[in-house]
Amino acid sequence: MSSTKITQIEDKSCTVAWSPHKSHADVIALGTKDSGGIGFEDYGGELDLYDLNLGGDDPKLLKTVKTTHRFGSLAWSTEGFIAGGMSDGSLHLWNFQDLIQGKSDKPTFTIQAHKTEIKALHFHPLAPHKLASGGSDGQVVIIDLSSSPPTMEILPSSSQVEVTQIAWNTQVEHICAS
């Protein structure tokens, strides 16, 4: 019988993404969702990378990156990129190796993907250069990271309901649900 280890890092509102790599299986990314202020102000956020040391030791903070806006969503690609959907509708993409090696805290790129907060992100399991995003503006945007600069395709929608979840089909490459 296996046991479950429960670890609490800090009491704050965050969006979460686990590393998809076996070599970093204990590493988790946290993007702060709360504003840290009173009311509706956006005082920015933080991207925290922790090694949870699930083998026994206490969690270890690997890196903290300050951001100008808080996080609405977070996703981690099999290619080593961490995508942050921000409260202002922008999408930031960081290279995990660059972050932990101290090469750069700046995103690899930033694009304005939505008019309002990005609520959902999902990297394509069969084509990891594709990222789907859903926003509180009711739009679904597919971002192709293989081109420079990345290209965006806004999918038509008859609804203005915010998109809070998004997922690619794991068997058929062209199907995405929100």
Side-chain angles (χ1 to χ4, degrees):
M1 184 171 152
S2 66
S3 64
T4 302
K5 179 180 179 184
I6 298 174
T7 302
Q8 183 171 334
I9 296 173
E10 197 175 324
D11 192 12
K12 61 182 175 181
S13 177
C14 295
T15 183
V16 178
W18 283 98
S19 168
H21 301 283
K22 287 185 180 183
S23 60
H24 297 295
D26 292 356
V27 178
I28 192 168
L30 305 175
T32 55
K33 290 180 75 84
D34 53 0
S35 66
I38 298 171
F40 297 100
E41 300 90 359
D42 188 348
Y43 291 102
E46 291 180 345
L47 173 65
D48 292 333
L49 300 174
Y50 279 91
D51 185 341
L52 295 184
N53 298 308
L54 296 178
D57 296 336
D58 289 334
K60 177 184 174 187
L61 179 63
L62 301 174
K63 185 73 173 179
T64 295
V65 177
K66 302 273 188 200
T67 59
T68 56
H69 295 280
R70 59 184 167 74
F71 286 81
S73 55
L74 203 58
W76 200 322
S77 80
T78 56
E79 295 183 338
F81 291 102
I82 299 170
M86 310 309 282
S87 61
D88 70 337
S90 64
L91 174 81
H92 299 293
L93 192 76
W94 289 272
N95 181 308
F96 170 70
Q97 290 298 326
D98 287 352
L99 288 174
I100 63 168
Q101 292 172 3
K103 291 182 181 178
S104 176
D105 287 357
K106 293 184 180 182
T108 304
F109 74 84
T110 298
I111 56 173
Q112 194 67 37
H114 291 266
K115 296 174 187 148
T116 57
E117 182 173 8
I118 298 175
K119 296 277 194 172
L121 290 171
H122 192 229
F123 280 100
H124 199 301
L126 305 174
H129 63 279
K130 289 184 181 177
L131 176 65
S133 68
S136 59
D137 57 5
Q139 293 185 327
V140 171
V141 178
I142 307 300
I143 302 155
D144 186 346
L145 304 171
S146 66
S147 60
S148 183
T151 58
M152 294 190 309
E153 178 184 359
I154 299 172
L155 301 182
S157 173
S158 60
S159 171
Q160 290 301 312
V161 176
E162 69 181 14
V163 178
T164 59
Q165 297 290 319
I166 197 157
W168 288 100
N169 184 295
T170 59
Q171 304 300 313
V172 183
E173 188 172 332
H174 65 274
I175 297 177
C176 183
S178 67

